[in-house]
Amino acid sequence: KICNTTLRTLVEVEKLENPEISVLFVDDAAMRSLNFKYRNVDDTTDVLAFPMRDGRFPNVGPNVLGDIVISIPTAKRQSEENKHSLEKELVILLIHGFLHLLGYDDTTEKLRKKMQTREKELLTILQQKGVIS
């Protein structure tokens, strides 16, 4: 439920019309495999995003934003490390993946700071709307 509510609110805030976004929750082994296949990194990670506006078929559909993949075990570990709920960690990861689908990048310090600023803004909006505490 939190996934749907979060994404609906993010879509509303970003004023997107009928976007298509898929979210897949996986274990660390599946995430490691995806991370290696698509990023050549032989380790698990918390979230991967696959924007459909990039790549070989950027015009597959005007409303198709892409896919977000989240590792539940990694999210759980991170929630414990950050001393907040798994629910909040999942929202943070959804925001991060969502922004990647919109074209945000975190490959340089400047871009990372811009993305982190927007992540904080969106988390605040979600808290104000009561989606997450």
Side-chain angles (χ1 to χ4, degrees), residues 75-119:
K76 186 168 180 4
R77 284 191 302 276
Q78 289 176 176
S79 72
E80 291 166 358
E81 290 168 10
N82 293 313
K83 297 183 177 19
H84 57 233
S85 69
L86 176 58
E87 183 177 84
K88 182 173 182 178
E89 187 67 26
L90 292 174
V91 167
I92 290 167
L93 296 175
L94 280 169
I95 292 170
H96 188 82
F98 179 77
L99 288 176
H100 275 305
L101 297 184
L102 295 183
Y104 281 77
D105 196 354
D106 55 4
T107 55
T108 68
E109 188 61 27
K110 183 178 179 182
L111 292 172
R112 185 175 9 269
K113 285 183 179 182
K114 180 180 178 184
M115 187 170 184
Q116 288 172 339
T117 297
R118 189 61 181 149
E119 287 171 342

Side-chain angles (χ1 to χ4, degrees), residues 9-103:
T9 305
L10 294 174
V11 164
E12 176 186 302
V13 168
E14 294 295 329
K15 297 177 175 59
L16 301 173
E17 295 209 17
N18 302 315
E20 292 182 34
I21 303 167
S22 74
V23 179
L24 179 64
F25 296 103
V26 298
D27 62 16
D28 280 341
M31 184 61 94
R32 181 178 185 158
S33 177
L34 289 169
N35 206 19
F36 184 72
K37 182 175 182 177
Y38 293 102
R39 297 180 61 229
N40 204 31
V41 176
D42 192 17
D43 198 6
T44 192
T45 189
D46 51 5
V47 61
L48 289 172
F50 298 95
M52 289 301 292
R53 294 177 177 176
D54 295 344
R56 293 177 46 196
F57 306 104
N59 299 316
V60 72
N63 297 336
V64 180
L65 289 184
D67 309 314
I68 299 170
V69 183
I70 295 174
S71 169
I72 293 293
T74 299
K76 186 168 180 4
R77 284 191 302 276
Q78 289 176 176
S79 72
E80 291 166 358
E81 290 168 10
N82 293 313
K83 297 183 177 19
H84 57 233
S85 69
L86 176 58
E87 183 177 84
K88 182 173 182 178
E89 187 67 26
L90 292 174
V91 167
I92 290 167
L93 296 175
L94 280 169
I95 292 170
H96 188 82
F98 179 77
L99 288 176
H100 275 305
L101 297 184
L102 295 183

